PDB file of all heavy atoms in Angstrom:
ATOM      1  N   PRO A  13     -45.588  30.429   1.529  1.00 89.00           N
ATOM      2  CA  PRO A  13     -47.047  30.704   1.325  1.00 89.00           C
ATOM      3  C   PRO A  13     -47.786  31.126   2.600  1.00 89.00           C
ATOM      4  O   PRO A  13     -48.606  32.019   2.576  1.00 89.00           O
ATOM      5  CB  PRO A  13     -47.580  29.383   0.761  1.00 89.00           C
ATOM      6  CG  PRO A  13     -46.403  28.651   0.249  1.00 89.00           C
ATOM      7  CD  PRO A  13     -45.236  29.088   1.096  1.00 89.00           C
ATOM      8  N   ALA A  14     -47.416  30.522   3.725  1.00 90.00           N
ATOM      9  CA  ALA A  14     -48.061  30.866   5.011  1.00 90.00           C
ATOM     10  C   ALA A  14     -47.667  32.266   5.384  1.00 90.00           C
ATOM     11  O   ALA A  14     -48.488  33.045   5.903  1.00 90.00           O
ATOM     12  CB  ALA A  14     -47.686  29.873   6.066  1.00 90.00           C
ATOM     13  N   LEU A  15     -46.430  32.630   5.151  1.00 88.00           N
ATOM     14  CA  LEU A  15     -45.946  33.986   5.480  1.00 88.00           C
ATOM     15  C   LEU A  15     -46.724  35.010   4.690  1.00 88.00           C
ATOM     16  O   LEU A  15     -47.171  36.024   5.243  1.00 88.00           O
ATOM     17  CB  LEU A  15     -44.453  34.076   5.196  1.00 88.00           C
ATOM     18  CG  LEU A  15     -43.763  35.393   5.536  1.00 88.00           C
ATOM     19  CD1 LEU A  15     -43.795  35.556   7.085  1.00 88.00           C
ATOM     20  CD2 LEU A  15     -42.357  35.392   5.034  1.00 88.00           C
ATOM     21  N   GLU A  16     -46.920  34.786   3.400  1.00 90.00           N
ATOM     22  CA  GLU A  16     -47.682  35.719   2.572  1.00 90.00           C
ATOM     23  C   GLU A  16     -49.115  35.825   3.057  1.00 90.00           C
ATOM     24  O   GLU A  16     -49.674  36.917   3.081  1.00 90.00           O
ATOM     25  CB  GLU A  16     -47.657  35.286   1.098  1.00 90.00           C
ATOM     26  CG  GLU A  16     -46.338  35.585   0.408  1.00 90.00           C
ATOM     27  CD  GLU A  16     -46.033  37.076   0.387  1.00 90.00           C
ATOM     28  OE1 GLU A  16     -46.941  37.888   0.134  1.00 90.00           O
ATOM     29  OE2 GLU A  16     -44.863  37.441   0.623  1.00 90.00           O
ATOM     30  N   THR A  17     -49.729  34.729   3.460  1.00 92.00           N
ATOM     31  CA  THR A  17     -51.088  34.761   3.953  1.00 92.00           C
ATOM     32  C   THR A  17     -51.166  35.555   5.259  1.00 92.00           C
ATOM     33  O   THR A  17     -52.081  36.358   5.424  1.00 92.00           O
ATOM     34  CB  THR A  17     -51.592  33.314   4.217  1.00 92.00           C
ATOM     35  OG1 THR A  17     -51.555  32.589   2.987  1.00 92.00           O
ATOM     36  CG2 THR A  17     -53.008  33.315   4.760  1.00 92.00           C
ATOM     37  N   LEU A  18     -50.221  35.339   6.168  1.00 92.00           N
ATOM     38  CA  LEU A  18     -50.196  36.081   7.410  1.00 92.00           C
ATOM     39  C   LEU A  18     -49.959  37.550   7.216  1.00 92.00           C
ATOM     40  O   LEU A  18     -50.507  38.369   7.985  1.00 92.00           O
ATOM     41  CB  LEU A  18     -49.172  35.484   8.337  1.00 92.00           C
ATOM     42  CG  LEU A  18     -49.425  34.095   8.864  1.00 92.00           C
ATOM     43  CD1 LEU A  18     -48.217  33.572   9.640  1.00 92.00           C
ATOM     44  CD2 LEU A  18     -50.646  34.083   9.765  1.00 92.00           C
ATOM     45  N   MET A  19     -49.195  37.895   6.237  1.00 93.00           N
ATOM     46  CA  MET A  19     -48.893  39.327   5.987  1.00 93.00           C
ATOM     47  C   MET A  19     -50.189  40.079   5.618  1.00 93.00           C
ATOM     48  O   MET A  19     -50.282  41.291   5.908  1.00 93.00           O
ATOM     49  CB  MET A  19     -47.883  39.484   4.818  1.00 93.00           C
ATOM     50  CG  MET A  19     -46.519  39.031   5.173  1.00 93.00           C
ATOM     51  SD  MET A  19     -45.591  40.211   6.161  1.00 93.00           S
ATOM     52  CE  MET A  19     -45.094  41.384   4.906  1.00 93.00           C
ATOM     53  N   TRP A  20     -51.158  39.418   5.044  1.00 93.00           N
ATOM     54  CA  TRP A  20     -52.395  40.099   4.699  1.00 93.00           C
ATOM     55  C   TRP A  20     -53.310  40.333   5.918  1.00 93.00           C
ATOM     56  O   TRP A  20     -54.348  40.980   5.786  1.00 93.00           O
ATOM     57  CB  TRP A  20     -53.156  39.343   3.621  1.00 93.00           C
ATOM     58  CG  TRP A  20     -52.495  39.498   2.286  1.00 93.00           C
ATOM     59  CD1 TRP A  20     -51.651  38.635   1.677  1.00 93.00           C
ATOM     60  CD2 TRP A  20     -52.544  40.673   1.453  1.00 93.00           C
ATOM     61  NE1 TRP A  20     -51.175  39.153   0.493  1.00 93.00           N
ATOM     62  CE2 TRP A  20     -51.736  40.415   0.336  1.00 93.00           C
ATOM     63  CE3 TRP A  20     -53.223  41.877   1.555  1.00 93.00           C
ATOM     64  CZ2 TRP A  20     -51.560  41.335  -0.699  1.00 93.00           C
ATOM     65  CZ3 TRP A  20     -53.035  42.797   0.520  1.00 93.00           C
ATOM     66  CH2 TRP A  20     -52.229  42.535  -0.588  1.00 93.00           C
ATOM     67  N   ARG A  21     -52.896  39.903   7.065  1.00 93.00           N
ATOM     68  CA  ARG A  21     -53.657  40.103   8.331  1.00 93.00           C
ATOM     69  C   ARG A  21     -53.252  41.414   8.997  1.00 93.00           C
ATOM     70  O   ARG A  21     -53.821  41.809  10.051  1.00 93.00           O
ATOM     71  CB  ARG A  21     -53.436  38.989   9.283  1.00 93.00           C
ATOM     72  CG  ARG A  21     -53.834  37.640   8.810  1.00 93.00           C
ATOM     73  CD  ARG A  21     -55.296  37.507   8.812  1.00 93.00           C
ATOM     74  NE  ARG A  21     -55.709  36.162   8.466  1.00 93.00           N
ATOM     75  CZ  ARG A  21     -56.930  35.828   8.223  1.00 93.00           C
ATOM     76  NH1 ARG A  21     -57.882  36.741   8.372  1.00 93.00           N
ATOM     77  NH2 ARG A  21     -57.243  34.627   7.864  1.00 93.00           N
ATOM     78  N   ILE A  22     -52.254  42.115   8.452  1.00 94.00           N
ATOM     79  CA  ILE A  22     -51.806  43.382   9.047  1.00 94.00           C
ATOM     80  C   ILE A  22     -52.029  44.500   8.035  1.00 94.00           C
ATOM     81  O   ILE A  22     -52.126  44.243   6.847  1.00 94.00           O
ATOM     82  CB  ILE A  22     -50.355  43.293   9.512  1.00 94.00           C
ATOM     83  CG1 ILE A  22     -49.384  43.026   8.339  1.00 94.00           C
ATOM     84  CG2 ILE A  22     -50.162  42.224  10.589  1.00 94.00           C
ATOM     85  CD1 ILE A  22     -47.915  43.090   8.728  1.00 94.00           C
ATOM     86  N   PRO A  23     -52.073  45.731   8.474  1.00 92.00           N
ATOM     87  CA  PRO A  23     -52.295  46.873   7.580  1.00 92.00           C
ATOM     88  C   PRO A  23     -51.197  46.998   6.506  1.00 92.00           C
ATOM     89  O   PRO A  23     -50.057  46.601   6.733  1.00 92.00           O
ATOM     90  CB  PRO A  23     -52.276  48.080   8.511  1.00 92.00           C
ATOM     91  CG  PRO A  23     -52.559  47.535   9.854  1.00 92.00           C
ATOM     92  CD  PRO A  23     -52.009  46.152   9.888  1.00 92.00           C
ATOM     93  N   GLN A  24     -51.547  47.594   5.393  1.00 93.00           N
ATOM     94  CA  GLN A  24     -50.650  47.733   4.274  1.00 93.00           C
ATOM     95  C   GLN A  24     -49.354  48.455   4.637  1.00 93.00           C
ATOM     96  O   GLN A  24     -48.268  48.060   4.250  1.00 93.00           O
ATOM     97  CB  GLN A  24     -51.335  48.432   3.109  1.00 93.00           C
ATOM     98  CG  GLN A  24     -50.435  48.603   1.908  1.00 93.00           C
ATOM     99  CD  GLN A  24     -51.127  49.295   0.761  1.00 93.00           C
ATOM    100  OE1 GLN A  24     -52.306  49.528   0.770  1.00 93.00           O
ATOM    101  NE2 GLN A  24     -50.367  49.614  -0.273  1.00 93.00           N
ATOM    102  N   GLN A  25     -49.472  49.534   5.396  1.00 91.00           N
ATOM    103  CA  GLN A  25     -48.278  50.329   5.788  1.00 91.00           C
ATOM    104  C   GLN A  25     -47.306  49.438   6.536  1.00 91.00           C
ATOM    105  O   GLN A  25     -46.103  49.496   6.363  1.00 91.00           O
ATOM    106  CB  GLN A  25     -48.704  51.521   6.628  1.00 91.00           C
ATOM    107  CG  GLN A  25     -47.576  52.405   7.030  1.00 91.00           C
ATOM    108  CD  GLN A  25     -48.069  53.615   7.821  1.00 91.00           C
ATOM    109  OE1 GLN A  25     -49.224  53.668   8.244  1.00 91.00           O
ATOM    110  NE2 GLN A  25     -47.211  54.561   7.994  1.00 91.00           N
ATOM    111  N   LYS A  26     -47.801  48.608   7.449  1.00 92.00           N
ATOM    112  CA  LYS A  26     -46.956  47.719   8.231  1.00 92.00           C
ATOM    113  C   LYS A  26     -46.343  46.657   7.348  1.00 92.00           C
ATOM    114  O   LYS A  26     -45.162  46.286   7.461  1.00 92.00           O
ATOM    115  CB  LYS A  26     -47.776  47.092   9.358  1.00 92.00           C
ATOM    116  CG  LYS A  26     -46.981  46.285  10.306  1.00 92.00           C
ATOM    117  CD  LYS A  26     -46.223  47.178  11.232  1.00 92.00           C
ATOM    118  CE  LYS A  26     -45.933  46.476  12.516  1.00 92.00           C
ATOM    119  NZ  LYS A  26     -45.370  47.329  13.510  1.00 92.00           N
ATOM    120  N   ARG A  27     -47.120  46.130   6.392  1.00 93.00           N
ATOM    121  CA  ARG A  27     -46.589  45.112   5.431  1.00 93.00           C
ATOM    122  C   ARG A  27     -45.465  45.689   4.643  1.00 93.00           C
ATOM    123  O   ARG A  27     -44.427  45.024   4.462  1.00 93.00           O
ATOM    124  CB  ARG A  27     -47.711  44.698   4.459  1.00 93.00           C
ATOM    125  CG  ARG A  27     -48.658  43.681   4.974  1.00 93.00           C
ATOM    126  CD  ARG A  27     -49.439  43.006   3.859  1.00 93.00           C
ATOM    127  NE  ARG A  27     -50.101  43.901   2.931  1.00 93.00           N
ATOM    128  CZ  ARG A  27     -51.340  44.377   3.069  1.00 93.00           C
ATOM    129  NH1 ARG A  27     -52.086  44.046   4.082  1.00 93.00           N
ATOM    130  NH2 ARG A  27     -51.820  45.158   2.165  1.00 93.00           N
ATOM    131  N   GLU A  28     -45.610  46.910   4.179  1.00 95.00           N
ATOM    132  CA  GLU A  28     -44.559  47.521   3.381  1.00 95.00           C
ATOM    133  C   GLU A  28     -43.277  47.716   4.206  1.00 95.00           C
ATOM    134  O   GLU A  28     -42.186  47.528   3.705  1.00 95.00           O
ATOM    135  CB  GLU A  28     -45.057  48.882   2.830  1.00 95.00           C
ATOM    136  CG  GLU A  28     -46.105  48.706   1.734  1.00 95.00           C
ATOM    137  CD  GLU A  28     -46.760  50.012   1.338  1.00 95.00           C
ATOM    138  OE1 GLU A  28     -46.354  51.095   1.877  1.00 95.00           O
ATOM    139  OE2 GLU A  28     -47.691  49.964   0.543  1.00 95.00           O
ATOM    140  N   ARG A  29     -43.436  48.105   5.475  1.00 93.00           N
ATOM    141  CA  ARG A  29     -42.267  48.252   6.356  1.00 93.00           C
ATOM    142  C   ARG A  29     -41.577  46.910   6.550  1.00 93.00           C
ATOM    143  O   ARG A  29     -40.343  46.804   6.470  1.00 93.00           O
ATOM    144  CB  ARG A  29     -42.686  48.848   7.695  1.00 93.00           C
ATOM    145  CG  ARG A  29     -41.503  49.226   8.553  1.00 93.00           C
ATOM    146  CD  ARG A  29     -41.906  49.869   9.846  1.00 93.00           C
ATOM    147  NE  ARG A  29     -42.446  48.942  10.811  1.00 93.00           N
ATOM    148  CZ  ARG A  29     -41.694  48.111  11.546  1.00 93.00           C
ATOM    149  NH1 ARG A  29     -40.405  48.055  11.393  1.00 93.00           N
ATOM    150  NH2 ARG A  29     -42.283  47.265  12.386  1.00 93.00           N
ATOM    151  N   LEU A  30     -42.361  45.881   6.779  1.00 93.00           N
ATOM    152  CA  LEU A  30     -41.754  44.541   7.029  1.00 93.00           C
ATOM    153  C   LEU A  30     -41.053  44.025   5.763  1.00 93.00           C
ATOM    154  O   LEU A  30     -40.029  43.330   5.867  1.00 93.00           O
ATOM    155  CB  LEU A  30     -42.840  43.540   7.482  1.00 93.00           C
ATOM    156  CG  LEU A  30     -43.416  43.768   8.874  1.00 93.00           C
ATOM    157  CD1 LEU A  30     -44.448  42.675   9.186  1.00 93.00           C
ATOM    158  CD2 LEU A  30     -42.353  43.793   9.939  1.00 93.00           C
ATOM    159  N   LYS A  31     -41.568  44.309   4.613  1.00 92.00           N
ATOM    160  CA  LYS A  31     -40.952  43.794   3.374  1.00 92.00           C
ATOM    161  C   LYS A  31     -39.600  44.442   3.131  1.00 92.00           C
ATOM    162  O   LYS A  31     -38.821  43.944   2.322  1.00 92.00           O
ATOM    163  CB  LYS A  31     -41.909  44.032   2.174  1.00 92.00           C
ATOM    164  CG  LYS A  31     -43.070  43.056   2.157  1.00 92.00           C
ATOM    165  CD  LYS A  31     -43.972  43.282   0.977  1.00 92.00           C
ATOM    166  CE  LYS A  31     -45.129  42.294   1.005  1.00 92.00           C
ATOM    167  NZ  LYS A  31     -45.999  42.506  -0.114  1.00 92.00           N
ATOM    168  N   ARG A  32     -39.289  45.526   3.802  1.00 95.00           N
ATOM    169  CA  ARG A  32     -37.993  46.187   3.629  1.00 95.00           C
ATOM    170  C   ARG A  32     -36.906  45.505   4.465  1.00 95.00           C
ATOM    171  O   ARG A  32     -35.746  45.839   4.317  1.00 95.00           O
ATOM    172  CB  ARG A  32     -38.113  47.665   3.983  1.00 95.00           C
ATOM    173  CG  ARG A  32     -38.915  48.462   2.941  1.00 95.00           C
ATOM    174  CD  ARG A  32     -38.694  49.930   3.102  1.00 95.00           C
ATOM    175  NE  ARG A  32     -38.948  50.425   4.435  1.00 95.00           N
ATOM    176  CZ  ARG A  32     -40.060  51.067   4.842  1.00 95.00           C
ATOM    177  NH1 ARG A  32     -41.058  51.299   3.979  1.00 95.00           N
ATOM    178  NH2 ARG A  32     -40.192  51.456   6.085  1.00 95.00           N
ATOM    179  N   PHE A  33     -37.315  44.628   5.408  1.00 93.00           N
ATOM    180  CA  PHE A  33     -36.307  43.928   6.217  1.00 93.00           C
ATOM    181  C   PHE A  33     -35.402  43.116   5.318  1.00 93.00           C
ATOM    182  O   PHE A  33     -35.827  42.471   4.410  1.00 93.00           O
ATOM    183  CB  PHE A  33     -37.023  43.014   7.254  1.00 93.00           C
ATOM    184  CG  PHE A  33     -37.625  43.713   8.423  1.00 93.00           C
ATOM    185  CD1 PHE A  33     -37.971  45.046   8.364  1.00 93.00           C
ATOM    186  CD2 PHE A  33     -37.849  43.041   9.613  1.00 93.00           C
ATOM    187  CE1 PHE A  33     -38.578  45.699   9.442  1.00 93.00           C
ATOM    188  CE2 PHE A  33     -38.419  43.652  10.689  1.00 93.00           C
ATOM    189  CZ  PHE A  33     -38.773  44.986  10.624  1.00 93.00           C
ATOM    190  N   LYS A  34     -34.138  43.103   5.667  1.00 93.00           N
ATOM    191  CA  LYS A  34     -33.154  42.334   4.879  1.00 93.00           C
ATOM    192  C   LYS A  34     -33.126  40.884   5.294  1.00 93.00           C
ATOM    193  O   LYS A  34     -32.947  40.020   4.448  1.00 93.00           O
ATOM    194  CB  LYS A  34     -31.780  42.959   5.057  1.00 93.00           C
ATOM    195  CG  LYS A  34     -31.742  44.393   4.548  1.00 93.00           C
ATOM    196  CD  LYS A  34     -30.326  44.830   4.243  1.00 93.00           C
ATOM    197  CE  LYS A  34     -30.184  46.257   3.873  1.00 93.00           C
ATOM    198  NZ  LYS A  34     -31.063  46.752   2.859  1.00 93.00           N
ATOM    199  N   ARG A  35     -33.328  40.598   6.521  1.00 90.00           N
ATOM    200  CA  ARG A  35     -33.306  39.220   7.014  1.00 90.00           C
ATOM    201  C   ARG A  35     -34.723  38.690   7.168  1.00 90.00           C
ATOM    202  O   ARG A  35     -35.578  39.280   7.783  1.00 90.00           O
ATOM    203  CB  ARG A  35     -32.624  39.131   8.393  1.00 90.00           C
ATOM    204  CG  ARG A  35     -31.126  39.420   8.278  1.00 90.00           C
ATOM    205  CD  ARG A  35     -30.383  39.261   9.614  1.00 90.00           C
ATOM    206  NE  ARG A  35     -30.930  38.243  10.438  1.00 90.00           N
ATOM    207  CZ  ARG A  35     -31.217  38.380  11.747  1.00 90.00           C
ATOM    208  NH1 ARG A  35     -31.052  39.535  12.332  1.00 90.00           N
ATOM    209  NH2 ARG A  35     -31.712  37.400  12.458  1.00 90.00           N
ATOM    210  N   VAL A  36     -34.976  37.492   6.618  1.00 87.00           N
ATOM    211  CA  VAL A  36     -36.275  36.869   6.695  1.00 87.00           C
ATOM    212  C   VAL A  36     -36.667  36.584   8.155  1.00 87.00           C
ATOM    213  O   VAL A  36     -37.824  36.767   8.527  1.00 87.00           O
ATOM    214  CB  VAL A  36     -36.322  35.562   5.866  1.00 87.00           C
ATOM    215  CG1 VAL A  36     -37.620  34.799   6.065  1.00 87.00           C
ATOM    216  CG2 VAL A  36     -36.074  35.833   4.416  1.00 87.00           C
ATOM    217  N   GLU A  37     -35.709  36.248   8.971  1.00 88.00           N
ATOM    218  CA  GLU A  37     -35.987  35.948  10.382  1.00 88.00           C
ATOM    219  C   GLU A  37     -36.521  37.194  11.092  1.00 88.00           C
ATOM    220  O   GLU A  37     -37.417  37.103  11.899  1.00 88.00           O
ATOM    221  CB  GLU A  37     -34.732  35.425  11.122  1.00 88.00           C
ATOM    222  CG  GLU A  37     -34.279  34.066  10.670  1.00 88.00           C
ATOM    223  CD  GLU A  37     -33.330  34.135   9.500  1.00 88.00           C
ATOM    224  OE1 GLU A  37     -32.955  35.224   9.043  1.00 88.00           O
ATOM    225  OE2 GLU A  37     -33.022  33.054   8.954  1.00 88.00           O
TER     226      GLU A  37
END
C-alpha cells in the first residue's frame, strides 16, 4: 500500500515505466 501511494507522487509516464520492471526491488 505504501508503494502504491508513493507511485502517485511521480508523473504517469514514469509510473508506467516503473510498473514494467520485472523485479519489485
Side-chain angles (χ1 to χ4, degrees):
L15 185 65
E16 283 299 317
T17 300
L18 291 172
M19 290 283 280
W20 286 101
R21 301 284 185 190
I22 62 174
Q24 181 179 352
Q25 183 178 12
K26 187 75 156 188
R27 278 195 311 269
E28 291 171 2
R29 188 178 75 76
L30 290 181
K31 286 181 180 180
R32 290 194 307 258
F33 283 24
K34 298 200 185 313
R35 292 184 33 229
V36 174
E37 292 88 5

